[in-house]
Amino acid sequence: MKAVQFSEHGRKDVLEYDEFDDPEIDRDEVLIDVKAGALNHLDVFTRMGLGALERLDLEMPHIPGSDAAGVVDEVGEDVDRFEPGDRVAVSAGLSCGHCEFCRDGDPTLCTDYKIIGEHVRGVHSEKTAVPSENLVPVPSGVDWKTAAAAPLVFQTAWRMLVTRAELQPGESILVLGASGGVGHAAVQIADYIGAEVYATASTEEKLGYAADIGADHTINYDEKNFADAIADATDERGVDVVVDHIGKATWKDSLDSLAKGGTIVTCGATTGRDPETDINSIFWNQLEIHGSTMGTPGEVDDVLELVWEGSFEPRIRETLPMSEIERAHEIIEEREGFGKVVVIPDSEL
């Protein structure tokens, strides 16, 4: 088969789309004929060798990619959830199943948690072998781009807002980076819940898209400091929740944007993991800080059902053949456009 791959960490020119050994499935795995994949900023960090807590030590060559959808080609002998011909999408979180957190029902806290495409070989290839428990059914009416683009960002945003921040109807929320994958999912989920949604982006075009999918107020962070804009818009009160997956460059202003008793929830730090924090403002204003990673199987099912029925829509900023994977990574790195970047195996075009 052909697969996106790299044999060393580095800039986007380490990426290749070339021959790779066909995958062999274990007893609990499913072989998928991939119809579409999608990128996340995680793919850029993986290519560079940067994990969430430490530098990655990967088996090379490595196939990146955490998002894909396709048709079941073959199933392992222990698999009873799927059969050849089924339409499926990948949910990328891997857990051990037996640590205290897995046994308590929250595999996202697993002591050996991994993400397909980051810690183990990913799914940006013509075929891929995935544990059956990491697959979700895709209804026949859902197109492959949507099925590939939705799982990682929508499960992440759903857990952040619904489970961790416990966002309520009528509350106010600020979503940073609303043009990105998690950001544009968070805007839609917050609007669905019934919150008053503030969203930031760097261009008027991106802000227009954010408004189209549910943002009540938009802020161009290149033109005005967003914390000042929130203060002006809320008569100095601040918002109840801030979604910050940006990190070092925005952390102080995110805290400053919160109302007393407010909550900041984070799933990433694309601009750096070590921001300065004013601890006094946290205890004096009784702020809550929540980390969040991926989603549980139940959370994945809940949010993807809403995607499949059309309540949420993963916006596609670009669709490219997998052979143009360097360009796909460039779009993510340069923050071009709004929404997700989808890649299609060249054999499917």
Side-chain angles (χ1 to χ4, degrees):
M1 69 172 183
K2 282 201 166 183
V4 175
Q5 57 195 280
F6 55 82
S7 296
E8 60 180 334
H9 295 296
R11 300 170 64 86
K12 61 181 183 293
D13 58 6
V14 302
L15 293 162
E16 297 179 310
Y17 185 61
D18 207 346
E19 296 295 327
F20 201 95
D21 290 342
D22 287 349
E24 296 182 2
I25 59 172
D26 288 335
R27 298 172 64 97
D28 65 342
E29 290 185 326
V30 172
L31 183 66
I32 304 168
D33 182 11
V34 175
K35 300 300 182 183
L39 274 76
N40 301 282
H41 212 102
L42 177 63
D43 294 303
V44 173
F45 287 138
T46 301
R47 190 197 75 221
M48 296 171 65
L50 304 175
L53 298 178
E54 57 188 11
R55 292 196 67 86
L56 296 173
D57 182 18
L58 300 175
E59 179 184 1
M60 297 292 186
H62 180 73
I63 298 174
S66 304
D67 274 329
V71 177
V72 173
D73 191 41
E74 183 183 347
V75 300
E77 53 192 287
D78 291 343
V79 175
D80 56 13
R81 292 182 61 220
F82 301 101
E83 58 185 28
D86 285 349
R87 293 162 51 92
V88 294
V90 175
S91 178
L94 296 170
S95 56
C96 72
H98 53 74
C99 72
E100 61 176 301
F101 301 104
C102 288
R103 289 176 61 82
D104 199 36
D106 195 342
T108 68
L109 293 172
C110 176
T111 56
D112 192 33
Y113 197 74
K114 294 181 174 66
I115 297 177
I116 293 171
E118 180 181 13
H119 305 100
V120 301
R121 281 177 177 162
V123 293
H124 288 170
S125 52
E126 291 180 325
K127 293 184 180 293
T128 188
V130 178
S132 63
E133 64 185 20
N134 286 92
L135 296 175
V136 292
V138 176
S140 59
V142 177
D143 66 85
W144 290 124
K145 292 180 185 180
T146 296
L152 190 145
V153 295
F154 275 91
Q155 69 176 281
T156 299
W158 183 265
R159 181 174 175 84
M160 291 175 78
L161 272 60
V162 176
T163 305
R164 302 296 285 144
E166 298 182 327
L167 183 67
Q168 300 298 311
E171 289 188 326
S172 55
I173 182 171
L174 168 65
V175 179
L176 303 187
S179 64
V182 170
H184 95 297
V187 168
Q188 294 180 62
I189 293 168
D191 178 58
Y192 177 83
I193 290 170
E196 183 176 12
V197 185
Y198 296 81
T200 74
S202 60
T203 70
E204 293 307 311
E205 181 181 22
K206 291 178 180 179
L207 293 173
Y209 281 125
D212 288 343
I213 61 172
D216 300 294
H217 315 276
T218 59
I219 302 167
N220 187 325
Y221 62 76
D222 275 348
E223 295 181 354
K224 185 170 185 177
N225 175 275
F226 68 81
D228 292 340
I230 290 294
D232 292 344
T234 63
D235 197 23
E236 304 294 331
R237 176 188 182 274
V239 295
D240 298 299
V241 176
V242 173
V243 173
D244 187 334
H245 50 93
I246 312 300
K248 189 172 184 175
T250 56
W251 189 252
K252 181 181 182 302
D253 286 331
S254 291
L255 291 173
D256 289 346
S257 298
L258 285 171
K260 282 183 173 288
T263 298
I264 185 169
V265 60
T266 178
C267 67
T270 57
T271 62
R273 63 177 70 182
D274 57 346
E276 292 185 8
T277 295
D278 182 357
I279 295 175
N280 284 12
S281 70
I282 294 173
F283 73 71
W284 187 255
N285 293 315
Q286 301 184 56
L287 306 180
E288 296 187 12
I289 299 174
H290 291 296
S292 191
T293 297
M294 301 291 280
T296 65
E299 289 164 342
V300 173
D301 290 344
D302 289 345
V303 71
L304 289 186
E305 181 62 33
L306 292 167
V307 175
W308 304 156
E309 72 175 31
S311 294
F312 302 142
E313 176 192 358
R315 293 292 181 99
I316 310 300
R317 67 176 89 177
E318 189 81 60
T319 301
L320 297 167
M322 283 189 180
S323 58
E324 295 184 24
I325 191 64
E326 285 190 48
R327 172 58 182 152
H329 274 239
E330 180 181 41
I331 293 170
I332 298 294
E333 285 186 278
E334 300 300 323
R335 295 179 170 83
E336 298 178 24
F338 188 97
K340 297 277 285 184
V341 177
V342 169
V343 288
I344 309 291
D346 287 42
S347 58
E348 295 291 329
L349 298 173

